[in-house]
Amino acid sequence: MLKYLIRRTLISIPVLVGISLILFTILALAPGDPFEELATNANVPAEVRQNLRAKFGLDDPVPVRYARWFTSMVRGDWGFSFVSRVSVETLILQRLPTTIIVLGTAQLLGILVALPIGTLSAMRPYSVFDQIATTLAFIGFSLPTFFTGLLFILFFSIHLDWLPFIYRSDISATGLSWYWQHVRQAIMPVAVLGLFQGASLTRFVRSAVLDVIQLDYINTARAKGLSEKTTIVKHAVRNALIPVLTLVALQVPAIFTGAVITEQIFRVPGVGSLLISSILANDTPVIMAITFVFSCLVVLFNLIADLLYGWLDPRISYR
């Protein structure tokens, strides 16, 4: 497995380089100027704007700018934000904990919802429970997160006045009250993202378990006297998780992009809202850093999924 891991890591390097080159070229050729406000401000001389562009190398050819950015990134320097005038690493690290907590909890909620409901639906196909679960899964997957987010705000915040609909990072409370306030304001964004992910996962879990329980080795396990719980959990669900694991691995990076809209709705001070504000301000270093991190997550979690295949199914070998 070690050789396989090393080989996949070496293959990932040119893939990430190619992705970074494409992303940088698209952002460099996109319309917009990060110093456009200075150009429209009569109090700022034109020489100041030109000096800033020369300082950041915005007038250099795209290959030169990419080479400068790539070498700086390899050294651990991701540049400075044109808008905030602070390092990109500082901006991302300030918002990353909030994003990880909200998105990690949402992904965990989606898995905890999908596994039991999908398995029970597969064990009782076309029953009343299966039909209700499948219908709710289709509804949950079909509704976009911005729509369900607005529904949650209207019902739980405005109508019932139970939960705050604006996520605040400057809570003045202390002790247990501080934790409780953070939990209350995270409930709705976590529920919106988690239920959306759980709805899509439920369909795949049901389909995967339904295919596995019809195989001969499941009937053999039952004939040997194993209990139904042991047969389903140890044999059926474990093997059915292989295709589901691929979907989960692909959803982890995708949930970051899906959180962009959710963070905007609930004003969550995370990486997603930082990406939106950077796009509106043409803050290229921040946009490049965040999109490249998303690309790295896609490659990383695909590798993790491939490694977990062998643990779920011993018949899979790494070559």
Side-chain angles (χ1 to χ4, degrees), residues 60 76 146 204 211 244 260:
D60 295 337
F146 70 85
F204 284 93
D211 291 338
V244 177
V260 172

Side-chain angles (χ1 to χ4, degrees), residues 171-183:
I171 296 178
S172 59
T174 58
L176 293 177
S177 177
W178 184 85
Y179 290 101
W180 172 239
Q181 292 297 327
H182 274 281
V183 170

Side-chain angles (χ1 to χ4, degrees), residues 161-164 167 179-189:
D161 195 20
W162 286 356
L163 301 171
Y167 196 106
Y179 290 101
W180 172 239
Q181 292 297 327
H182 274 281
V183 170
R184 288 183 69 246
Q185 65 184 4
I187 288 176
M188 286 200 295

